[in-house]
Amino acid sequence: MNAYTIQMRLGLTAIVASAFLLLIAIPNWVTSPSNVRNIVLSPTFWPYVLSGLTGLVGVGLVLAAFREAKDGPRFDEPVRDPRQAGIRLAIMTLIMLIITLGTASIGMVWMSMAAFIATAALVRTRHPVAAVICGILLPLALYAFFAHVASVAIPQGNLVRLP
Amino acid sequence: MNAIDSVMAGLALVGNLQAVMSLAIGVVVGVIGGAIPGMSATMAVALTLPFTFAMPTIPALLLLLGVYKGGIFGGSIPAILIKTPGTPASSATILDGYPMAERGEAGRALGMALWASCTADLISNLALVLFAGWLASFAMNFGPPEFFTLILFSLTIIAGVSGESLLRGALSALLGLLLATIGLDLVYGTNRFTFGDPNMMGGLNFIAVLIGLFAIPEVLAMVLNPTGHLGKARSLGKNWVTFADYRRSFRSIVRGSVIGVVLGSIPGIGAAPSAFLSYSEARRTSKNKDNFGKGEVEGVAAAEAGNNGVAGATLIPLLALGVPGDVITAIIIGAFMVHGLQPGPMMFVTNIDIIYGLFIGLILSSFLLFVIGSAAIKGFKYVADIPRRLLIPGVLILCIYGVFAVNNNLFDVGVMFVMGWLGFLMMRYHVPASPFLIAFILGPLLEDNFRQAMLMSGGSPAILVRGPITWFFWALTAITLVAIIRAGFRAVQNGSPKIRPQQ
């Protein structure tokens, strides 16, 4: 991405986000009592001000983008294989989703072991044996600390319960 | 309590093995975290934070402050040995540190980095002790309008100087402020963006947001491009820094320390600009200015003094005003809150023993940094050998446990992942994350003080310009905005890029 693309995309996103907040999100999802005498004390006042400012910054970014050359130099490292990279990011998203939704039933320790090993495989580690060993030991060590030292109720799940 | 009683009370809190060990362990963790390219002092502090919840207050805070101090110095080790700054603050150290390493004088460069860091750290800590109390007593006169204008000024400067563009910094700060509105309204208790979910009613968990914003993007960046590799570490060589080197560079070290103290006490500027300013001032005034950039030991000293001079000074606005000086102190605020403390002028009245305990601990940290830093220099090759593709999954697991431990709530883990994606997109689009996090922390304070001021005045905005303190902060805000906009226009006219390749 070059400077033009970055500024333009950010600006347009900010304008769309601002419009969404002003027209849909704040009227529907911010509750204001009917007896507020002064608008500046209303729960909606601050979100409206911030949304408006976001829109203005978005316009500023779009105007700033027009000062940049459309075919200007790239500023980020090109990814070697964008399609493969996209697939890896999608798999990582799936891992995150499984961690969030499955930890309660599977247990944090087992889920962390699986997540460590899966992530290490995803980033194509050259130390698979070390990854498996670390993937088993690190969650166990963290469980020991948080459950027995910090007294945090780490979810154990329905499979195997640790002491 | 008079000053001597306060010092003795502080000493009673710090003068035990647990507190000293916490500080030492913190410095070790910080040096290692700073020395691993791809980690940073910020990430090290964020990942250490959950481990402090079960600790007593003073050891917990000293552990985090130790990580902070160690992290800032630790970043200089890979900067000198493999031309990769462990933290952005160490970028200036590369300029002369790496050429020295190429000449076989890595040991001398690292030694000077350590001596300069410890000296600057000590000066910065003494500045904190001298000025924080005075500033806090001054801030006792602040009411809601004064705090509103102070926070507005802080946010303006943070948004303006954190990145390469005022607009992108402002966008980041606005996103943080918007996210801070989630939860129950401060005055009426009505729902704002909670979608009927009880998990959202208390607002988003601060620690989930910060870990998501600073650690998870590194995981995603590694997934996107796993083949990033490190440079080759150089040997330390036979030369070591001498007292003559130190004496020759002493003026630059003191100047850099003062620059660090001044810039560090202004919220949002941080260590990297301070290091570069200190370096350029040293080059401008040095007798050996021609050697700068080719391996001049005074250049290393100036850069390191500049970035470590910030470390104590960033705590001045944090302790005296409750406003974080940089992103790391913004994280440390979380530790204060978890332990039931609210940094700010009242803390100097209600928790003066803790304040003095921290002061004593911080001064002790300068000496611990010297001892631990010396060992770290020799042990760096083992740290450099940790494969990043094993480190990153480890960071992910640390994040999961750490965020869950805050509230025993898996919802927070989900928030962390969502914030991680947001942080990753911000990183890709060169939107600085620091203004986002600091605005997220200061947002409720800003709104709360604004609404209190409006309640006091019956809705009249005239209260926001009610006296010299508010005029002073409005003037500073205006001057800051004008200066940033002018600098932006100048950069455009000179054709300098507004987006630089990320380090």
Side-chain angles (χ1 to χ4, degrees):
Chain A
M1 279 184 293
N2 59 21
Y4 171 83
T5 312
I6 287 171
Q7 304 273 66
M8 184 58 80
R9 284 185 189 176
L10 277 176
L12 292 175
T13 306
I15 291 166
V16 170
S18 167
F20 173 75
L21 284 162
L22 291 169
L23 303 173
I24 296 166
I26 297 170
N28 288 306
W29 296 313
V30 179
T31 316
S32 180
S34 54
N35 61 346
V36 179
R37 279 175 300 171
N38 197 324
I39 181 71
V40 295
L41 294 174
S42 165
T44 58
F45 175 75
W46 204 244
Y48 272 126
V49 168
L50 296 175
S51 305
L53 287 171
T54 303
L56 283 176
V57 168
V59 171
L61 282 162
V62 170
L63 293 175
F66 286 122
R67 299 182 66 105
E68 306 285 352
K70 283 189 182 180
D71 52 354
R74 285 181 66 113
F75 286 102
D76 53 348
E77 270 182 55
V79 180
R80 195 175 293 174
D81 186 347
R83 191 171 159 274
Q84 284 289 321
I87 291 168
R88 280 197 303 273
L89 282 174
I91 293 169
M92 191 69 224
T93 309
L94 191 67
I95 291 170
M96 289 175 171
L97 210 61
I98 292 168
I99 290 168
T100 309
L101 301 175
T103 297
S105 54
I106 292 169
M108 188 171 275
V109 177
W110 316 116
M111 183 60 86
S112 302
M113 288 178 184
F116 187 107
I117 293 162
T119 308
L122 197 62
V123 297
R124 291 180 289 181
T125 181
R126 283 181 295 182
H127 307 84
V129 176
V132 172
I133 292 167
C134 292
I136 292 166
L137 292 181
L138 181 66
L140 285 173
L142 289 170
Y143 170 79
F145 173 82
F146 281 110
H148 296 290
V149 179
S151 303
V152 175
I154 298 291
Q156 292 267 31
N158 310 322
L159 301 172
V160 182
R161 300 185 72 79
L162 290 165
Chain B
M1 236 192 227
N2 63 30
I4 293 172
D5 289 342
S6 302
V7 171
M8 295 312 285
L11 205 55
L13 288 174
V14 180
N16 58 73
L17 190 63
Q18 189 188 19
V20 176
M21 282 302 291
S22 298
L23 190 59
I25 290 166
V27 174
V28 171
V29 169
V31 170
I32 292 170
I36 297 172
M39 271 193 89
S40 64
T42 308
M43 204 201 286
V45 174
L47 292 177
T48 308
L49 180 59
F51 291 90
T52 64
F53 298 157
M55 295 169 73
T57 305
I58 279 282
L61 294 174
L62 289 178
L63 178 72
L64 290 172
L65 291 169
V67 176
Y68 179 22
K69 302 273 182 183
I72 297 288
F73 164 71
S76 67
I77 302 175
I80 290 166
L81 290 180
I82 58 175
K83 207 182 177 181
T84 307
T87 61
S90 308
S91 304
T93 310
I94 288 178
L95 300 173
D96 281 292
Y98 189 69
M100 283 179 75
E102 282 188 307
R103 263 199 332 244
E105 293 186 329
R108 186 168 165 235
L110 285 164
M112 178 50 84
L114 179 64
W115 288 17
S117 295
C118 294
T119 308
D121 193 47
L122 189 61
I123 290 170
S124 191
N125 290 334
L126 291 173
L128 167 69
V129 173
L130 288 172
F131 295 124
W134 171 81
L135 188 59
S137 61
F138 174 66
M140 294 294 271
N141 303 319
F142 284 21
E146 287 77 16
F147 269 113
F148 171 76
T149 50
L150 162 69
I151 295 166
L152 194 68
F153 161 66
S154 301
L155 284 174
T156 306
I157 200 163
I158 286 161
V161 302
S162 292
E164 299 130 356
S165 147
L166 170 65
L167 284 169
R168 287 197 302 278
L171 181 66
S172 178
L174 283 165
L175 284 174
L177 288 171
L178 274 165
L179 208 75
T181 62
I182 293 172
L184 295 182
D185 178 64
L186 299 163
V187 175
Y188 291 97
T190 55
N191 287 315
R192 294 202 294 193
F193 305 118
T194 59
F195 309 106
D197 188 336
N199 286 307
M200 304 274 274
M201 286 182 180
L204 295 181
N205 181 282
F206 158 69
I207 289 157
V209 170
L210 87 90
I211 290 181
L213 211 58
F214 286 93
I216 299 296
E218 296 298 330
V219 176
L220 292 169
M222 173 61 93
V223 169
L224 181 77
N225 195 7
T227 50
H229 62 279
L230 303 177
K232 194 177 181 318
R234 296 180 175 273
S235 65
L236 296 181
K238 288 196 172 75
N239 287 339
W240 192 249
V241 69
T242 61
F243 190 72
D245 287 330
Y246 180 72
R247 203 174 49 199
R248 191 162 60 83
S249 307
F250 189 70
R251 190 176 289 187
S252 289
I253 292 171
V254 172
R255 190 192 304 109
S257 307
V258 172
I259 287 169
V261 167
V262 172
L263 294 189
S265 58
I266 300 169
I269 292 189
S274 169
F276 279 103
L277 183 59
S278 169
Y279 179 84
S280 63
E281 278 301 300
R283 187 174 54 187
R284 194 175 61 82
T285 55
S286 174
K287 292 173 191 165
N288 309 316
K289 64 175 71 171
D290 293 341
N291 290 342
F292 274 67
K294 298 171 190 166
E296 170 58 48
V297 75
E298 194 181 343
V300 174
E304 281 300 301
N307 69 35
N308 278 272
V310 165
T314 49
L315 295 166
I316 296 174
L318 174 77
L319 293 176
L321 305 170
V323 174
D326 66 356
V327 72
I328 299 181
T329 44
I331 297 167
I332 291 170
I333 270 194
F336 277 91
M337 289 171 177
V338 164
H339 288 277
L341 298 169
Q342 181 60 54
M346 282 308 292
M347 202 173 158
F348 281 77
V349 178
T350 54
N351 301 102
I352 191 71
D353 54 339
I354 290 177
I355 294 278
Y356 273 86
L358 290 178
F359 287 168
I360 295 163
L362 283 166
I363 289 166
L364 182 62
S365 75
S366 303
F367 298 99
L368 282 172
L369 180 62
F370 185 80
V371 175
I372 292 162
S374 303
I377 288 169
K378 294 178 176 69
F380 174 72
K381 66 175 190 295
Y382 302 108
V383 174
D385 285 344
I386 297 173
R388 264 202 87 191
R389 284 181 270 182
L390 279 185
L391 183 77
I392 288 293
V395 166
L396 176 70
I397 303 310
L398 277 169
C399 291
I400 295 166
Y401 274 84
V403 167
F404 177 82
V406 182
N407 286 330
N408 290 8
N409 191 348
L410 283 167
F411 178 81
D412 290 343
V413 177
V415 169
M416 174 188 75
F417 286 140
V418 171
M419 293 313 301
W421 269 101
L422 181 66
F424 176 66
L425 290 172
M426 285 167 74
M427 195 165 79
R428 299 283 297 163
Y429 281 88
H430 299 261
V431 177
S434 307
F436 183 104
L437 183 72
I438 294 172
F440 180 74
I441 295 163
L442 294 179
L445 280 173
L446 184 71
E447 185 184 4
D448 203 15
N449 281 296
F450 172 77
R451 288 168 86 177
Q452 277 185 35
M454 290 297 121
L455 282 167
M456 283 162 63
S457 69
S460 166
I463 196 171
L464 299 177
V465 286
R466 74 174 180 179
I469 298 171
T470 54
W471 302 340
F472 174 71
F473 286 122
W474 280 119
L476 280 181
T477 306
I479 290 165
T480 304
L481 274 172
V482 169
I484 292 164
I485 291 166
R486 270 186 64 188
F489 275 119
R490 244 187 239 146
V492 170
Q493 280 164 356
N494 296 341
S496 58
K498 290 197 295 295
I499 300 172
R500 289 192 296 270
Q502 286 174 316
Q503 293 264 343

